[in-house]
Amino acid sequence: MSVGIRHDDLRRRNRAMVIAAVRHAGQPSRTEIAATTSLSHSTISAISSDLIVEGILTESKPSEAGSLKRGRPQVGLSLNPEAAAVMTVVLSLNFLSVAVIDYAGQVISEEQRRLDTLTMARESLIGECTAIVRRRLDDPDLDVRSIARIALAIQGITDTRSRAMLWSPITPHTDIAFADILEDAFGIPATMENDCNMMAVALRWRDPQRYRDDFIAILLSHGIGMGLVLKGELFTGTHSSGGEFGHMIHRPNGALCRCGRRGCVEAYAGNYAIWRNARQLGEDAEPVADVSDADMRALATAARERDGPEREAYRKAGEALGYGLGSLFALIDPAPVAMVGVSAAAFDLIEPALREAIVQTAGGQHSKSISFDTEPNELPLIREGCAMRALTFVDQEIFAPGAQARSGPGGKNVA
Amino acid sequence: MSVGIRHDDLRRRNRAMVIAAVRHAGQPSRTEIAATTSLSHSTISAISSDLIVEGILTESKPSEAGSLKRGRPQVGLSLNPEAAAVMTVVLSLNFLSVAVIDYAGQVISEEQRRLDTLTMARESLIGECTAIVRRRLDDPDLDVRSIARIALAIQGITDTRSRAMLWSPITPHTDIAFADILEDAFGIPATMENDCNMMAVALRWRDPQRYRDDFIAILLSHGIGMGLVLKGELFTGTHSSGGEFGHMIHRPNGALCRCGRRGCVEAYAGNYAIWRNARQLGEDAEPVADVSDADMRALATAARERDGPEREAYRKAGEALGYGLGSLFALIDPAPVAMVGVSAAAFDLIEPALREAIVQTAGGQHSKSISFDTEPNELPLIREGCAMRALTFVDQEIFAPGAQARSGPGGKNVA
DNA sequence: CTCTATTTTTTCGAGCCTCGAAAAAATACT
DNA sequence: AGTATTTTTTCGAGGCTCGAAAAAATAGAG
């Protein structure tokens, strides 16, 4: 049962709204904020004056150089970089990276590290994560107290409450409650996010025009992942991070998937599957642990040069992705798609079969209007998404506390 | 960009909250409402006093007979049946039914009619619908002015804005803007809803324990439809009613579907598909227009009696549904399922193959914990859902106007 | 250089809304 | 009849947003 709105929630919500408006617009004037929020000038004036006194916003005097308008010039409001800071931790296959970001979104410091995630012991993996965070926190240039939030992204399935990794392809270990581990170790609120969801969040910030209320981000990498935004909110499963597009069934009893089952989309479109088909190893061949980006690029080059097993492998990948997308479109209707990851660079090889497959499905009627974008490098996206995730948490939960906690089903998820 | 909250929205939202609390609880006292909404007694007292003066609520004196408690007895609040009325129109294959329902949810009058929807001209179909509504409105016992809303449900795809039928299996005609047609004809606000969505809405009202925040209603009838509730809200596509579970792809290039494509789940699990397989007509056989309920029951009886093509047909249906559900669960995680429609009565024949298939999918890990309920008769559910849909519209848009209009993404969809 | 038009921002009183505390109301128990 | 208990209403306090008016800050005209 939804809960009533109390009088004091009003100010909190509108505070959050003003902060969000500044984060979105960059340097809006009070008048612009009043327009986007449709609150009165008086209210915006009162709230922003509070926020400036509290050190959350700052006035940045002469906003535009070419302001030839008459009248009192607008005063730009911007986020005070020193209001807080957040930390992002991205854990992917054999790679760990961490960054400290100020409240305005600028990277203050970072560190990256190679490690052998597939063979590491559970404790070592956790240890590496806490150690790299600790090193950043020990940085003498950094005011530790300003770190308001840690967001950790991992490839794999996380739970809905953003506390734990349930399963991941980068390690044999399962059910690691990273968020609680970091919170206990450093006393800083932490969340654990799914990598593809963070890609979607980042895309929305990068290009709000194209990636507005409904879109799909698909990771074409060793595995196949998806981040989904529907009606302006990040879509998650009921228990887990959800959106396991790669494990929708393409062909019942089909090719062997890394997850142990058969016929998943990933078993045709993941790097290992493309590799397996290109080498003509057969659909029952055990998936290899990893294929280097260089090897995948070589495969793509070979496929472009001649009509051989490599080209056929990409065709099969396209077919699986196309039928998968078709089924997805049957459920949610067609939406713009971003293809991210190494194999997105080979999307020219994938697209023909993909489109051909989509035409055979319920989404087919709009096949031509479905547009694909490609972005070969997923790591920067994941980092950005994590950063925005952590920063909007600070916006909402720390600088406008209580505003969302009491709200009903309408807690904004992404923005 | 989300919009700020104004001061006067407060009262509107809390009014809506109180009305919703009464509709859910039946005869709650002011104190109970204060508890569920977590608003103060003073506020509830003020709001309910307003609502009583306006004739929306009534006090129903001695609520429980066995109230042996000390102290001032609670006064039950209930919806005033005369506050308004709504009309539901359900259009299904060869059948049209309409009902008038008072504000408290009781059916006041109804009418049903057989007609040949598959062969009717576009104008006749529309004409029959407006005529049956007009006959009800002309009923001398009825105060026409009290009709505040019409909700029309149809089997098929409707648009997100609840204005038009885009495509339906019950008629060859497409893109009929029923909502606008009824509004223009009678000057009463109308919406056009998808039948399976209304089933889901009704299930939630019937059994809020089981069908709470996340569940799936699947219609096993001539076609296969789905109504999906996720995180407490009815799920719809970005443009259409969405959730076209029946047209997810089960086998690329597989059996011929009624929609003209190949390999859809429906092409294995719809009545016509079960019929086709039981008669061993081959997967390319043109789907028959209709199979009577009696024929389907005979098929099920035959399948239970001996291991022949009938049993195999149900097995194939179960397999298709199982893989489809598996793919769905990969996206949204497992949730309780209600099987509705004629073939739900044959669920004993479907379930084994269905569960076997689910085990092969990403949802398989929780296979045993997934529970299925069956309900062979879909029409009463659709009617109930429509009624609740229309009534909650009146609650929100007429008796607490403006409350939702200004809200951000958090407009409650079902409750 | 002064004055005016224009635009942005702040100030101030009015009107609501919710809340807590206390009062009033209505019953069961002694 | 009096007391304890529970529900509901009343009333003043405090907060919030709004509109109107004032103040502030600039460009252009003369």
Side-chain angles (χ1 to χ4, degrees), chain A residues 136-354:
Chain A
R136 281 304 98 209
L137 291 176
D138 286 348
D139 187 332
D141 296 343
L142 184 73
D143 178 10
V144 179
R145 290 164 307 168
S146 70
I147 304 279
R149 179 80 160 193
I150 302 175
L152 191 153
I154 192 167
Q155 198 185 337
I157 303 177
T158 61
D159 71 331
T160 312
R161 292 171 44 253
S162 292
R163 312 302 306 160
M165 174 208 93
L166 303 177
W167 177 89
S168 170
I170 71 162
T171 171
H173 312 294
T174 58
D175 296 296
I176 305 181
F178 273 113
D180 295 322
I181 289 169
L182 291 176
E183 275 187 17
D184 291 348
F186 305 106
I188 299 171
T191 58
M192 148 105 276
E193 311 282 352
N194 170 273
D195 60 337
C196 292
N197 286 350
M198 292 307 97
M199 282 173 12
V201 169
L203 284 169
R204 198 157 189 245
W205 282 96
R206 274 198 188 176
D207 188 353
Q209 285 293 81
R210 176 173 164 85
Y211 302 111
R212 189 190 299 265
D213 287 344
D214 302 281
F215 64 91
I216 304 166
I218 292 187
L219 177 63
L220 301 178
S221 177
H222 199 62
I224 303 291
M226 177 177 71
L228 191 57
V229 171
L230 293 177
K231 301 191 180 69
E233 289 189 53
L234 194 58
F235 180 87
T236 58
T238 57
H239 309 299
S240 75
S241 47
E244 284 298 319
F245 174 74
H247 299 285
M248 290 177 76
I249 300 296
H250 171 46
R251 291 186 184 276
N253 258 308
L256 183 62
C257 179
R258 194 172 47 154
C259 70
R261 292 178 290 262
R262 291 186 160 275
C264 304
V265 169
E266 185 179 299
Y268 296 87
N271 285 356
Y272 65 87
I274 297 176
W275 173 265
R276 185 169 62 185
N277 281 333
R279 291 289 157 108
Q280 297 180 288
L281 301 175
E283 295 194 336
D284 293 342
E286 194 66 30
V288 296
D290 195 12
V291 185
S292 75
D293 286 6
D295 284 346
M296 288 309 294
R297 279 192 289 268
L299 225 55
T301 308
R304 284 192 194 95
E305 277 169 0
R306 64 175 182 282
D307 190 358
E310 293 89 355
R311 190 175 293 181
E312 176 63 12
Y314 278 105
R315 204 198 57 74
K316 279 190 177 149
E319 187 185 67
L321 291 169
Y323 277 109
L325 274 177
S327 287
L328 182 62
F329 288 161
L331 293 174
I332 65 165
D333 294 336
V337 178
M339 293 288 185
V340 186
V342 219
S343 292
F347 190 64
D348 56 315
L349 295 163
I350 293 172
E351 187 168 6
L354 188 153

